[in-house]
Amino acid sequence: MVAAIALLPSAIAAADATEAADVLLSQGKPVATSTVESSTYAGTKAVDGKTSTRWASAEGADPQWLRIDLGQSAAVHRVVLTWEAAYAKKYRIEVSDDGTQFTPAATVDNGDGNTDDLTLNAHGRYVRFVGVSRATSYGYSFWEMQVYGSTDSSGDTQAPTTPTALTAGATTATSAALSWSAATDNVGVAGYDILRNGTAVATSTTLSYTDTGLTPDTSYSYAVRARDAAGNLSGPSTPITVKTKAGTGTSFVLAAAGDIAERCTASSSSCAHVKTAKLVEQLNPAAVITMGDNQYDDAHLSDFKAYYDKTWGKFKSITHPIPGNHESYDDTKFKGYEDYFGAIAKPQGKRYYSWEMGNWHFIALDSNDFVTHDEFAEPPQITWLKQDLANNKKGCVAAYYHHPRWSSGDHGDNPDSIQLWNLMTANKVDLVLNGHDHDYERFVPQNADGKADANGPVEIVGGSGGANLYDLSPAHDTTAKLLKTYGVLKLSMTDTTFQTQLIGVDGKVLDSSPTYTCH
């Protein structure tokens, strides 16, 4: 008994020395994961030293894992997991020398979501959490995964040189592209850590990286540092400041068509607007655009209620309409159109107006004004349009009106739309949508003279919403696609780009544009 007591202080001293030798090895180190719920919950969030950020795997799937590269071999004595609500019921901690072959070092079969402080006796460079069974319907999520131990004293201890020439490339509302010149090392550079506002957010094995998930119209400070296979780190490069573009960081899909509702209903198998309305429903768009001639032949309120309302009327609450020439075929011009659509027919007091979604400015025009206007006076709509374009603060612009400037359909080119088209080209509008000709035609970007020009708008005639189709004339030199068919335009918009598709009534994609970057 006396001997045992006499040895106790030595044992305590040895234990204290071992504990003192252990340090936090995982913070800021490279991380790989099986999945992430979104970029907001990236694996790097689990080793950033913050209890307000976290990693989260994709929901509803087992198993999932998160792997930390300690940078060099180490004795691993302790792992601390600080769980969020989506915790693991069963999981294990594994260690590996090469990042491929892992050995289990600790197993938990009765997790309760509290902070887990696990004691290990393992050795390796890579430490991996493997979630085996979730305790919730979500994924796996923890605020921090901390690995404690001591690195091997032998081996390479020389740090790489500091990377130089860090430069910003293309930026969007939510991303920033970076590149830099290579660092050197006595053994070899294994990778580069990207530091955003002083915190390592990613590692790249090349000389470039695109940081994503950023906030629009926000400035970020970036630096990079080199690391070698032993985990030695260079100093950070000279920092640069990058500002993301204005926008919302959102993307959305719109549905669009003109020349829609003939006087027919679902009782007729040939009734096309019944079929195109089903396409809109399948697209589940954020909004619907109509390019005029919504109702045929004379657009009385009774016609709107009997035909258009039974199909495209389902989307009335998200529709941004404009009138075509058929809307003027009423006892009082436009009365049926205005009575049916109500406030959305004239949301700003006129049959022309503008609205916005994401980083897009949309201009809805009534081109009937230009078929009959006084050529010696500037129409009020043109005065309004010039001011609306001047006031716009959004990065992308689309306009839509019934009568197309350029068309290979039955009506052909429309000189009455020259004023509108010239304003579109002069103000670098990105996309112009029209109807009037009952067909589909997509043009390459054109200038004021109808010549191919990357700086001009993309014009699309989408008069394929359901009215009886017209015969086609020879295509223009700038025509990218010309079809005599029914269908709906699917417009896929981001803060800086757009891409269009024509979806046929059989659900097939009949035409796809390139992805265009906004001017």
Side-chain angles (χ1 to χ4, degrees):
M1 179 71 71
V2 173
I5 293 172
L7 289 172
L8 186 57
S10 298
I12 293 173
D16 286 346
T18 300
E19 185 72 21
D22 284 346
V23 296
L24 178 59
L25 303 173
S26 53
Q27 188 163 314
K29 295 297 171 59
V31 172
T33 61
S34 54
T35 63
V36 293
E37 181 181 336
S38 72
S39 59
T40 304
Y41 306 113
T44 53
K45 306 293 187 181
V47 294
D48 61 4
K50 300 176 183 178
T51 56
S52 58
T53 59
R54 61 187 173 93
W55 167 65
S57 70
E59 295 184 3
D62 294 315
Q64 300 287 344
W65 54 265
L66 179 144
R67 188 194 73 191
I68 303 172
D69 179 0
L70 301 179
Q72 66 180 107
S73 295
V76 179
H77 297 140
R78 182 179 168 217
V79 171
V80 180
L81 293 175
T82 306
W83 289 100
E84 194 258 346
Y87 67 95
K89 182 178 180 181
K90 295 183 179 181
Y91 68 93
R92 60 181 180 268
I93 304 297
E94 302 175 337
V95 179
S96 170
D97 291 319
D98 59 8
T100 303
Q101 299 296 322
F102 282 85
T103 301
T107 300
V108 174
D109 291 325
N110 56 351
D112 58 8
N114 293 322
T115 298
D116 292 339
D117 194 335
L118 308 176
T119 300
L120 288 73
N121 183 18
H123 187 275
R125 172 174 170 170
Y126 301 88
V127 180
R128 184 168 71 176
F129 157 85
V130 180
V132 178
S133 177
R134 292 167 290 114
T136 72
S137 61
Y138 301 102
Y140 298 93
S141 180
F142 39 74
W143 301 101
E144 284 289 300
M145 178 174 172
Q146 297 170 302
V147 179
Y148 293 88
S150 57
T151 56
D152 295 350
S153 58
S154 61
D156 179 21
T157 59
Q158 182 175 328
T161 62
T162 300
T164 58
L166 177 61
T167 304
T171 61
T172 70
T174 58
S175 67
L178 306 169
S179 61
W180 55 90
S181 296
T184 60
D185 184 67
N186 63 315
V187 176
V189 175
Y192 297 87
D193 293 342
I194 291 83
L195 286 74
R196 184 205 308 144
N197 296 335
T199 300
V201 294
T203 296
S204 174
T205 56
T206 67
L207 298 177
S208 64
Y209 179 75
T210 298
D211 195 20
T212 59
L214 306 179
T215 301
D217 198 24
T218 301
S219 294
Y220 294 91
S221 175
Y222 285 100
V224 293
R225 67 189 179 200
R227 63 169 61 243
D228 61 20
N232 299 306
L233 296 174
S234 75
S237 67
T238 301
I240 63 170
T241 299
V242 180
K243 187 173 184 179
T244 53
K245 293 184 178 180
T248 61
T250 59
S251 60
F252 53 91
V253 169
L254 304 179
D259 306 273
I260 298 170
E262 291 281 2
R263 291 175 174 171
C264 61
T265 64
S267 61
S268 170
S269 61
S270 63
C271 191
H273 67 96
V274 174
K275 300 172 184 177
T276 57
K278 288 181 180 178
L279 289 178
V280 177
E281 189 171 15
Q282 292 166 10
L283 290 176
N284 190 27
V288 172
I289 287 172
T290 66
M291 288 92 79
D293 282 5
N294 306 276
Q295 178 59 58
Y296 284 83
D297 283 327
D298 299 335
H300 303 295
L301 178 60
S302 58
D303 294 315
F304 270 104
K305 289 181 175 179
Y307 306 108
Y308 181 95
D309 190 61
K310 297 294 191 295
T311 56
W312 283 64
K314 296 175 183 177
F315 322 111
K316 188 175 177 180
S317 64
I318 59 169
T319 296
H320 300 270
I322 52 106
N325 50 289
H326 277 264
E327 271 75 28
S328 69
Y329 303 164
D330 198 350
D331 298 331
T332 301
K333 288 185 176 182
F334 305 107
K335 188 176 188 304
Y337 169 79
E338 293 175 4
D339 286 348
Y340 175 73
F341 282 111
I344 64 174
K346 301 167 70 173
Q348 294 162 6
K350 303 290 184 181
R351 285 187 296 274
Y352 49 88
Y353 57 95
S354 60
W355 55 282
E356 293 176 340
M357 183 174 288
N359 196 34
W360 279 82
H361 183 72
F362 294 92
I363 306 172
L365 299 172
D366 178 7
S367 58
N368 291 287
D369 278 359
F370 307 97
V371 176
T372 58
H373 75 271
D374 181 354
E375 62 180 330
F376 298 107
E378 179 174 283
Q381 188 173 175
I382 289 291
T383 304
W384 172 88
L385 175 59
K386 290 177 178 178
Q387 191 62 55
D388 183 80
L389 286 164
N391 292 341
N392 171 49
K393 304 299 182 184
K394 297 294 185 179
C396 302
V397 182
Y400 56 103
Y401 46 94
H402 188 59
H403 301 86
R405 174 66 186 95
W406 312 107
S407 174
S408 304
D410 183 68
H411 289 299
D413 297 342
N414 197 321
D416 294 316
S417 296
I418 288 177
Q419 275 187 299
L420 294 178
W421 181 254
N422 289 352
L423 279 172
M424 301 301 140
T425 58
N427 288 273
K428 294 188 179 298
V429 170
D430 300 290
L431 177 64
V432 174
L433 304 175
N434 305 116
H436 199 43
D437 266 326
H438 300 183
D439 56 39
Y440 169 82
E441 186 170 16
R442 176 173 60 85
F443 292 86
V444 301
Q446 302 172 93
N447 60 22
D449 297 323
K451 303 298 184 183
D453 186 341
N455 294 313
V458 173
E459 183 198 297
I460 298 178
V461 178
S464 51
N468 293 329
L469 297 173
Y470 291 166
D471 290 333
L472 304 177
S473 299
H476 286 55
D477 291 341
T478 50
T479 299
K481 193 76 170 183
L482 177 63
L483 296 170
K484 181 181 178 179
T485 189
Y486 295 114
V488 172
L489 272 173
K490 176 184 178 182
L491 309 176
S492 300
M493 327 296 268
T494 75
D495 276 341
T496 56
T497 67
F498 68 97
Q499 194 255 348
T500 71
Q501 293 181 315
L502 177 68
I503 313 298
V505 292
D506 59 358
K508 294 181 179 179
V509 177
L510 303 180
D511 181 45
S512 291
S513 78
T515 296
Y516 290 102
T517 299
C518 296
H519 299 133

